[in-house]
């Protein structure tokens, strides 16, 4: 049997273009009506279209700045489970928002 080394810590900083786009929308400090409209749509999608757990995780990750390891400890799940929930939430948000824009 091979000696397999396991990762001691799972750390997830960015997860592709969708993640970067969501961060850009949230962090933009502009009074332009198009940016304000986009933020409003994003918040409506988060509040109305995601499951309660997905909503909480997205809010903690993007708005509170917590990483997946910290969120996983809070919920008593693995960081991989948090990452999977975030991935499903981001995909759902993207699918809905592309029809709004």
């Amino acid at each position: 049997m091979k000696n397999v080394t396991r990762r001691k810590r799972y750390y997830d900083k960015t997860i592709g273009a969708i993640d970067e786009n969501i961060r850009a929308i949230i962090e933009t400090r502009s009074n332009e009506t198009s940016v304000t409209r986009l933020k409003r749509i994003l918040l409506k999608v988060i509040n109305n279209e995601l499951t309660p757990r997905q909503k909480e995780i997205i809010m903690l990750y993007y708005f509170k700045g917590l990483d997946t390891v910290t969120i996983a400890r809070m919920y008593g799940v693995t960081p991989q489970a948090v990452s999977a929930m975030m991935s499903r939430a981001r995909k759902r948000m993207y699918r809905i928002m592309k029809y709004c824009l």
Side-chain angles (χ1 to χ4, degrees), residues 36-50:
T36 305
R37 180 176 173 266
L38 192 58
K39 283 183 181 181
R40 192 171 39 245
I41 291 170
L42 178 63
L43 288 173
K44 282 183 181 179
V45 170
I46 290 170
N47 286 322
N48 299 326
E49 301 298 330
L50 301 181

Side-chain angles (χ1 to χ4, degrees), residues 6-69:
R6 296 183 59 115
R7 274 193 235 178
K8 293 184 180 183
R9 188 169 188 204
Y10 181 82
Y11 191 73
D12 180 15
K13 271 289 197 188
T14 58
I15 304 179
I18 294 173
D19 182 58
E20 291 171 9
N21 292 337
I22 293 171
R23 283 188 187 282
I25 292 168
I26 292 170
E27 294 171 357
T28 300
R29 303 270 188 232
S30 176
N31 291 331
E32 290 182 39
T33 56
S34 60
V35 174
T36 305
R37 180 176 173 266
L38 192 58
K39 283 183 181 181
R40 192 171 39 245
I41 291 170
L42 178 63
L43 288 173
K44 282 183 181 179
V45 170
I46 290 170
N47 286 322
N48 299 326
E49 301 298 330
L50 301 181
T51 66
R53 175 73 54 103
Q54 287 175 338
K55 177 183 170 183
E56 290 172 9
I57 288 173
I58 290 293
M59 295 301 254
L60 289 171
Y61 187 78
Y62 288 107
F63 293 94
K64 300 291 183 182
L66 300 178
D67 62 345
T68 56
V69 175

